[in-house]
């Protein structure tokens, strides 16, 4: 699957680490004195979450959700199904959704609205990557590591048909189709 002839390096592990650190610094400042519940969206955000929490100094807990957005090819549809839900009461908690990349925004918009309806103290979103020019629905993203173009990316949790999540660097496909 991974073949250097088809992939071009987009972000090195070192550059990713720099973005993660900067995000953690902002989160540490904004949540000082508070407890935060990190809600990690499986599967793509696991590497980002595990690096991010190592830099957090605020009290935090972690929950995982798995969402499935049915669509054609690499496009999400907005019809989102919850495959694995949060296992704890989120009322009056400070929630921080941890996502690795936002594309159309459909998946996250659905999930954000759903969390909000359970009356938490606050809900914010942190994403490592944001394809801002692909956005179809509005999502209030507070923390963005890097804005990216609309290329399809793999590595560091991002998959190509479930593979390549293990790569330390992030790549784009030279021949996306
Ligand atoms: P959205 O609903 O269109 O915003 O899709 C978001 C989800 O699609 C992300 O959480 C990823 O799982 C996946 N995704 C979007 N862009 C990419 C990409 O470039 N590579 C791998 N997965 C992606
Ligand atoms: Mg994801």
């Amino acid at each position: 699957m991974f073949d250097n002839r088809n992939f071009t390096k987009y972000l090195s592990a070192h550059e990713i680490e720099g973005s993660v650190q900067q995000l953690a610094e902002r989160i540490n400042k904004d949540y000082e004195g508070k407890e935060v519940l990190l809600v990690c969206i499986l599967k793509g955000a696991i590497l980002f979450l595990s690096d991010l929490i190592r830099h957090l100094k605020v009290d935090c807990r972690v929950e995982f959700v798995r969402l499935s957005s049915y669509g054609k090819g690499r496009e999400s549809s907005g019809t989102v199904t919850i495959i694995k839900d949060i296992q704890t009461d989120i009322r009056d908690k400070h929630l921080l959704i941890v996502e690795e990349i936002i594309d159309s925004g459909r998946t996250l918009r659905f999930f954000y609205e759903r969390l909000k309806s359970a009356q938490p103290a606050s809900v914010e979103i942190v994403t490592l990557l944001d394809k801002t020019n692909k956005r179809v629905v509005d999502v209030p993203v507070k923390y963005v590591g890097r804005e990216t173009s609309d290329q399809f990316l793999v590595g560091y949790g991002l998959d190509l048909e479930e593979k390549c999540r293990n790569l330390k660097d992030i790549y784009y496909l030279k021949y996306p189709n």
Side-chain angles (χ1 to χ4, degrees):
M1 169 64 71
F2 182 72
D3 181 339
N4 268 325
R5 285 170 299 183
N6 299 333
F7 294 83
T8 304
K9 198 177 280 187
Y10 176 71
L11 285 176
S12 68
H14 184 70
E15 290 170 311
I16 297 167
E17 173 62 13
S19 292
V20 174
Q21 262 183 36
Q22 283 176 10
L23 289 168
E25 277 167 26
R26 288 181 57 198
I27 294 165
N28 282 330
K29 214 177 271 172
D30 291 354
Y31 288 88
E32 201 181 339
K34 293 178 187 154
E35 186 181 299
V36 59
L37 176 62
L38 301 166
V39 182
C40 174
I41 308 208
L42 294 171
K43 305 173 190 171
I46 50 166
L47 274 73
F48 175 43
L49 172 88
S50 66
D51 285 341
L52 184 71
I53 54 174
R54 278 179 256 215
H55 294 291
L56 292 185
K57 296 180 182 129
V58 291
D59 282 342
C60 58
R61 294 172 197 246
V62 180
E63 280 286 330
F64 294 91
V65 292
R66 186 155 173 225
L67 309 172
S68 154
S69 176
Y70 295 104
K72 285 198 186 123
R74 292 170 193 162
E75 296 287 314
S76 68
S77 63
T79 310
V80 183
T81 309
I82 297 172
I83 298 173
K84 188 214 169 298
D85 210 345
I86 295 181
Q87 308 290 310
T88 186
D89 185 8
I90 59 172
R91 204 186 168 103
D92 300 326
K93 303 241 169 76
H94 292 287
L95 310 181
L96 181 58
I97 302 173
V98 182
E99 177 63 295
E100 82 287 8
I101 193 163
I102 306 175
D103 191 295
S104 71
R106 289 184 179 113
T107 312
L108 213 47
R109 173 62 177 266
F110 162 88
F111 187 59
Y112 175 83
E113 296 295 341
R114 189 169 179 277
L115 288 185
K116 274 236 135 173
S117 67
Q119 299 178 335
S122 65
V123 191
E124 301 295 352
I125 298 168
V126 56
T127 187
L128 179 64
L129 303 169
D130 192 353
K131 294 181 180 174
T132 36
N133 61 2
K134 291 270 306 261
R135 195 74 90 255
V136 175
V137 295
D138 196 31
V139 192
V141 191
K142 184 156 185 187
Y143 307 99
V144 177
R146 283 169 191 259
E147 290 192 1
T148 65
S149 62
D150 56 8
Q151 279 148 328
F152 192 79
L153 303 172
V154 298
Y156 195 72
L158 294 155
D159 72 304
L160 175 61
E161 287 151 16
E162 292 296 326
K163 292 182 187 157
C164 298
R165 294 192 200 274
N166 54 312
L167 304 175
K168 290 191 179 78
D169 308 300
I170 296 177
Y171 299 80
Y172 64 84
L173 291 178
K174 274 187 200 159
Y175 314 107
N177 301 310

